[in-house]
């Protein structure tokens, strides 16, 4: 014979179970609506041929490795020297708004979504104003991205260090 269950016990059990069931249903729905996206930040430095011939490069790339990076996603660019935001170039043009936070840091914000496989570059060569100085730059995602697998997520920051120099009258960099 089954034990008799009181009505109060059924109501009490249901009251305790409802939040657990609601939370179990809400979490997957929230994750699905959020969508997965993974930012990859890389830095590139090239001295050309022996720092004399060829084109020097000093830039960061923000890449949508997975999913679409939403508009409004922000990054901080910091420097060991003063930043001149007017000398920063973004390519393709118009995808980033750039504003000075302090003398040595700037806020870069995506003005449009960046779809998977697309990149935006930030050219730093215009920042080098004094020859013979070592410059260090770091670009970092503000907040978190949402990769499908955090263990294989792309890097959310990168750093570059260079020495500005002049060889045969041509400005170039030596990557450190």
């Amino acid at each position: 014979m089954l034990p008799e269950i009181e009505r109060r016990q059924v109501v009490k059990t249901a009251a305790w179970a409802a939040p657990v069931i609601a939370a179990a249903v809400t979490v997957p729905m929230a994750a699905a609506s959020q969508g997965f996206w993974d930012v990859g930040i890389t830095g590139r430095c090239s001295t050309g041929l022996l720092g004399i011939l060829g084109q020097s490069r000093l830039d960061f790339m923000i890449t949508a490795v997975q999913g679409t990076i939403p508009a409004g996603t922000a990054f901080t660019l910091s420097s060991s020297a003063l930043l001149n935001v007017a000398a920063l170039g973004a390519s393709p043009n118009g995808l980033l708004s750039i504003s000075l936070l302090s003398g040595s840091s700037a806020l870069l914000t995506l003005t449009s979504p960046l779809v998977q496989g697309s990149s935006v570059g930030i050219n730093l060569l215009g920042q080098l104003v004094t020859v013979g100085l070592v410059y260090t730059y770091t670009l970092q995602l503000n907040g978190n991205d949402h990769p499908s697998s955090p263990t294989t997520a792309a890097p959310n920051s990168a750093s570059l260090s260079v020495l500005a120099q002049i060889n045969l009258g041509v400005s170039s960099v030596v990557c450190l």
Side-chain angles (χ1 to χ4, degrees), residues 54-133:
Q55 184 177 10
S56 294
R57 294 187 69 119
L58 182 62
D59 58 18
F60 286 110
M61 293 296 289
I62 299 170
T63 303
V65 175
Q66 178 187 37
T68 298
I69 303 169
T73 301
F75 304 84
T76 299
L77 174 65
S78 56
S79 172
S80 61
L82 293 178
L83 281 173
N84 176 4
V85 293
L88 288 173
S91 176
N93 199 8
L95 278 180
L96 284 174
S97 70
I98 302 171
S99 57
L100 197 60
L101 290 175
S102 70
S104 61
S105 65
L107 180 67
L108 289 68
T109 307
L110 284 176
T111 57
S112 300
L114 192 61
V115 298
Q116 184 170 328
S118 298
S119 297
V120 60
I122 300 100
N123 184 355
L124 300 170
L125 276 179
Q127 292 295 308
L128 305 176
V129 293
T130 306
V131 174
L133 286 182

Side-chain angles (χ1 to χ4, degrees), residues 142-164:
N142 295 349
N144 297 310
D145 51 5
H146 304 281
S148 61
S149 174
T151 57
T152 59
N156 291 339
S157 67
S159 292
L160 296 170
S161 292
V162 298
L163 170 66

